Amino acid sequence: EDKVVQSPLSLVVHEGDTVTLNCSYEVTNFRSLLWYKQEKKAPTFLFMLTSSGIEKKSGRLSSILDKKELFSILNITATQTGDSAIYLCAVETSNSGNTPLVFGKGTRLSVIA
Amino acid sequence: NAGVTQTPKFQVLKTGQSMTLQCAQDMNHNSMYWYRQDPGMGLRLIYYSASEGTTDKGEVPNGYNVSRLNKREFSLRLESAAPSQTSVYFCASSALRGTLHFGNGTRLTVT
């Protein structure tokens, strides 16, 4: 059974801190790993990672994938209160057809002023 | 610029009542999905439709049915609601692979 595990499940930091969120996976026929941010409503797409060792970056957020050790990290530097959200990791497989993503349980990040 | 539209946004049902959650997307995506989200459980797939005319069960399909009415619309039906179905329901769509586009969710309470 495909599995995606995120840690920690929740995290409280102060503005300006740097945080690292973890995502490990055990799936057959890995294709890509995706990160989403969920504030009050719908999850919104952050990154898609397919190759090991290549960092994806968007402003203060960055992510990298290690396909040998089967994990990814999402880094947020100089956190702001607007970064408070649930961060979801999902893995896409190529088992058959358009196989749905497998999601982890998410990390709830709270950034306090 | 609608994207994925879900209705209703909120619903309260009594145990045993039925209802249909509606979802429509205007991005010409082939695939559509229904997820539920419960505290501490992440997003769990209920049903999905890889293309018009096909539907498949996900991780938690019991108590639900779906209809892929056409390429745009994918509805989720609860025939006899139970308190365990209290949740936030998200519809999503995708093109050939990868990135999901989500609707804003339906918050359902079953008493």
Side-chain angles (χ1 to χ4, degrees):
Chain A
E1 184 186 333
D2 295 336
K3 192 163 60 170
V4 176
V5 178
Q6 292 186 245
S7 64
L9 291 181
S10 66
L11 188 56
V12 180
V13 301
H14 290 277
E15 268 193 317
D17 288 349
T18 294
V19 298
T20 298
L21 309 183
N22 303 293
C23 176
S24 64
Y25 60 91
E26 290 178 33
V27 302
T28 53
N29 299 319
F30 173 88
R31 196 171 187 182
S32 67
L33 185 144
L34 297 92
W35 285 96
Y36 287 83
K37 178 183 181 182
Q38 185 179 21
E39 296 177 82
K40 293 194 173 128
K41 291 186 178 177
T44 54
F45 172 75
L46 292 174
F47 299 112
M48 177 191 278
L49 303 149
T50 56
S51 302
S52 270
I54 298 177
E55 185 182 53
K56 291 275 182 100
K57 203 168 167 62
S58 176
R60 296 176 294 102
L61 277 68
S62 64
S63 183
I64 198 159
L65 174 67
D66 185 328
K67 287 169 76 173
K68 184 178 175 188
E69 300 297 330
L70 308 182
F71 77 92
S72 173
I73 59 172
L74 175 68
N75 277 323
I76 309 174
T77 58
T79 52
Q80 303 170 356
T81 54
D83 295 326
S84 296
I86 297 173
Y87 290 85
L88 296 163
C89 173
V91 171
E92 180 192 20
T93 66
S94 56
N95 292 327
S96 64
N98 199 12
T99 311
L101 301 180
V102 180
F103 281 87
K105 293 185 178 181
T107 294
R108 182 180 291 275
L109 175 65
S110 300
V111 182
I112 54 179
Chain B
N1 202 21
V4 179
T5 303
Q6 288 183 237
T7 56
K9 292 181 183 174
F10 301 95
Q11 184 72 51
V12 179
L13 293 177
K14 294 187 177 172
T15 297
Q17 286 184 317
S18 63
M19 79 160 296
T20 300
L21 281 65
Q22 307 286 354
C23 176
Q25 51 94 7
D26 61 3
M27 296 172 283
N28 202 36
H29 285 165
N30 287 318
S31 302
M32 297 185 75
Y33 311 82
W34 277 105
Y35 287 90
R36 61 179 287 174
Q37 187 174 37
D38 303 293
M41 298 296 290
L43 285 166
R44 291 185 293 169
L45 183 68
I46 305 171
Y47 271 94
Y48 69 103
S49 171
S51 61
E52 187 179 353
T54 69
T55 60
D56 285 284
K57 293 179 181 180
E59 182 187 352
V60 289
N62 290 346
Y64 305 94
N65 284 302
V66 289
S67 294
R68 183 75 183 266
L69 303 168
N70 46 56
K71 192 170 186 180
R72 288 188 67 247
E73 297 171 288
F74 188 38
S75 62
L76 178 72
R77 181 158 179 87
L78 287 71
E79 290 290 351
S80 178
S84 61
Q85 294 178 305
T86 293
S87 188
V88 180
Y89 291 85
F90 286 99
C91 177
S93 70
S94 69
L96 284 177
R97 57 168 292 196
T99 311
L100 293 180
H101 299 261
F102 287 88
N104 282 331
T106 295
R107 187 174 292 275
L108 174 68
T109 302
V110 183
T111 60

